[in-house]
């Protein structure tokens, strides 16, 4: 198999990026029944890892652990009961933790084949980000041609995919971002709004006086009420994070519980608007097979959109796993567009 052994990044506690530990020379894992070992070719930094580093991701495991929400790689070994044809196949997997390692054990039922012709780093930008964007757009908001939607953080990992999928569905997009990203957004046909200029909601209302069909909000906090008020009758708010509370102290559950409370309250109002708090893992504990089938179907759709040219992968930077501190700093800086990718 492999002579170098395992290389993995360990998050020992709430530390600065430079204090992440690189562990080398461990035994390469062996797959159990129904499992595969993936030789990692690309993993990445998403907002989840930024929160985990601060101890603020709402259901992260106890320290120490290996982060890494998703990965793309080649199936190196298969366990008993696994389809033999899977060996040597390039696959993607959504795993929540464990991806920042050179070899990763995954349940075979959780891997999705990556079509030929898609590079590992390209595919990696679309695993958690693509599934999230696809499901929010098509399963929650059900956006249709001719509608106008608002994407907060339109230059980010999820935001940049959302923008492209919304355009492919025939929707018009208003996107919030800092001014350094506006020229690129105009080029993509997005009407940009500077989220740092104050009174973002008023500016969006000028652009869409009748309200919008959907708002996708990863910021949470106080601004979520503005997002709700931007909706036209029949519109949908999809909240999928609380980025505004990333650096807060105190309970990591509280921002999420507060959002859930608001969403519940809004959905009881008789105004034909809908609100969702989107969680990619929803339904997994109750109906695992259904969850896996939906995830596979949606990621397959995202890869097909990439092959059609509906999506261009946005790789902010590619860095080796051993430079994970630089990768985290870059991802957290807010200066880059797309996803920071880690490679072996």
């Amino acid at each position: 198999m492999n002579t170098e052994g395992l290389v993995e990044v360990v998050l020992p506690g709430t530390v600065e990026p430079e204090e992440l530990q690189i562990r080398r020379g461990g035994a390469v894992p062996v797959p159990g029944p129904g499992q595969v070992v993936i030789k990692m070719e690309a993993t990445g930094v998403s907002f989840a890892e930024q929160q985990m580093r601060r101890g603020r991701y709402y259901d992260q495991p106890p320290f120490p652990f290996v982060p890494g929400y998703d990965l793309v790689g080649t199936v190196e070994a298969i366990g008993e009961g696994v389809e033999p044809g899977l060996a040597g196949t390039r696959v993607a997997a959504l795993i929540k933790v464990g991806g920042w390692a050179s070899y990763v054990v995954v349940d075979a039922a959780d891997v999705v084949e990556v079509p030929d012709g898609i590079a590992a780093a390209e595919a990696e930008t679309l695993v958690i980000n693509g599934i999230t964007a696809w499901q929010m757009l098509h399963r929650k908001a059900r956006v249709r041609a001719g509608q106008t939607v608002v994407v907060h953080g339109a230059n980010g990992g999820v935001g940049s995919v959302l923008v492209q999928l919304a355009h492919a569905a025939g929707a018009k997009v208003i996107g919030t971002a800092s001014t350094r990203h506006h020229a690129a957004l105009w080029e993509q046909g997005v009407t940009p709004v500077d989220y740092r200029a104050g009174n973002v909601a008023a500016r969006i209302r000028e652009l869409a006086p009748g309200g919008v069909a959907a708002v996708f909000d990863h910021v949470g906090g106080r601004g979520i009420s503005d997002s709700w008020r931007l909706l036209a009758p029949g519109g949908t708010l999809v909240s999928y994070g609380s980025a505004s509370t990333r650096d807060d102290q105190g309970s990591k559950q509280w921002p999420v519980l507060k959002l859930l409370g608001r969403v519940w309250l809004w959905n009881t109002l008789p105004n034909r608007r809908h609100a969702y708090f989107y969680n990619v893992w929803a339904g997994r504990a109750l109906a695992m097979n259904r969850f896996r089938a939906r995830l596979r179907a949606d990621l397959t759709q995202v890869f097909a959109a990439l092959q059609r040219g509906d999506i261009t992968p946005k790789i902010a930077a590619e860095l080796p796993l051993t430079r994970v501190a630089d990768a985290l700093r870059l991802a957290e800086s807010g200066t880059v567009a797309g996803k920071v990718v880690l490679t072996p």
Side-chain angles (χ1 to χ4, degrees):
M1 201 191 233
N2 150 286
T3 52
E4 299 155 25
L6 181 66
V7 180
E8 56 187 357
V9 177
V10 178
L11 180 59
T14 52
V15 297
E16 292 303 308
E18 291 71 23
E19 295 169 275
L20 286 160
Q21 296 164 359
I22 312 284
R23 206 190 282 161
R24 289 183 173 86
V28 170
V30 175
Q35 294 181 324
V36 298
V37 171
I38 299 173
K39 185 177 186 181
M40 187 271 285
E41 293 172 37
T43 179
V45 184
S46 60
F47 185 67
E49 289 97 2
Q50 298 175 37
Q51 284 186 302
M52 287 177 190
R53 179 176 80 74
R54 295 166 170 80
R56 297 204 54 79
Y57 189 77
Y58 68 100
D59 64 349
Q60 69 189 71
F63 297 117
F65 65 91
V66 176
Y69 216 84
D70 57 8
L71 77 152
V72 171
T74 301
V75 175
E76 178 94 350
I78 61 171
E80 187 191 326
V82 175
E83 175 64 43
L86 213 48
T89 306
R90 177 175 277 164
V91 296
L94 185 68
I95 53 176
K96 195 182 287 188
V97 293
W100 291 1
S102 54
Y103 292 87
V104 184
V105 175
V106 179
D107 284 347
D110 286 327
V111 305
V112 179
E113 281 196 40
V114 177
D116 290 343
I118 300 179
E122 292 180 342
E124 166 55 27
T125 66
L126 296 175
V127 186
I128 180 58
N129 293 344
I131 292 164
T132 298
W134 182 274
Q135 292 187 343
M136 292 195 303
L137 193 79
H138 293 295
R139 290 191 183 271
K140 294 297 184 194
R142 301 179 187 276
V143 168
R144 297 185 305 281
Q147 294 182 326
T148 298
V149 304
V150 172
V151 176
H152 286 300
N155 60 290
V158 174
S160 59
V161 183
L162 251 175
V163 161
Q164 296 179 82
L165 288 175
H167 278 151
K172 298 190 184 88
V173 182
I174 298 167
T176 68
S178 59
T179 49
R180 66 158 66 83
H181 300 295
H182 285 199
L185 288 172
W186 278 119
E187 271 176 40
Q188 290 175 67
V190 177
T191 306
V193 172
D194 181 9
Y195 72 87
R196 290 190 169 124
N199 220 342
V200 172
R203 176 85 184 94
I204 293 172
R205 250 182 237 105
E206 283 172 22
L207 296 166
V212 297
V215 180
F216 301 96
D217 187 316
H218 69 302
V219 183
R222 286 181 198 155
I224 196 79
S225 298
D226 287 335
S227 290
W228 173 252
R229 286 193 286 268
L230 288 170
L231 295 175
T236 303
L237 166 64
V238 187
S239 164
Y240 66 105
S242 53
S244 63
T245 67
R246 186 187 74 177
D247 297 315
D248 289 3
Q249 302 299 309
S251 163
K252 58 178 177 268
Q253 277 87 14
W254 181 237
V256 174
L257 292 172
K258 215 153 57 169
L259 273 173
L260 286 168
R262 272 201 172 134
V263 162
W264 178 84
L265 185 68
W266 283 332
N267 284 330
T268 64
L269 301 174
N271 61 10
R272 295 196 6 254
R273 297 182 180 96
H274 309 280
Y276 294 100
F277 182 75
Y278 172 83
N279 169 15
V280 72
W281 302 102
R284 189 170 190 258
L286 296 171
M288 178 71 93
N289 289 343
R290 191 164 153 230
F291 171 84
R292 282 169 161 160
R294 190 176 59 200
L295 195 126
R296 174 173 283 106
D298 293 347
L299 185 52
T300 300
Q301 289 273 17
V302 171
F303 286 149
L306 171 62
Q307 289 179 301
R308 281 196 304 273
D310 289 348
I311 310 173
T312 304
K314 297 262 190 295
I315 301 170
E318 255 182 87
L319 293 164
L321 197 55
T322 49
R323 285 187 58 198
V324 67
D326 295 334
L328 252 175
R329 287 265 179 233
L330 190 61
E332 294 183 11
S333 68
T335 60
V336 294
K339 183 156 190 178
V340 176
V341 173
L342 292 163
T343 60

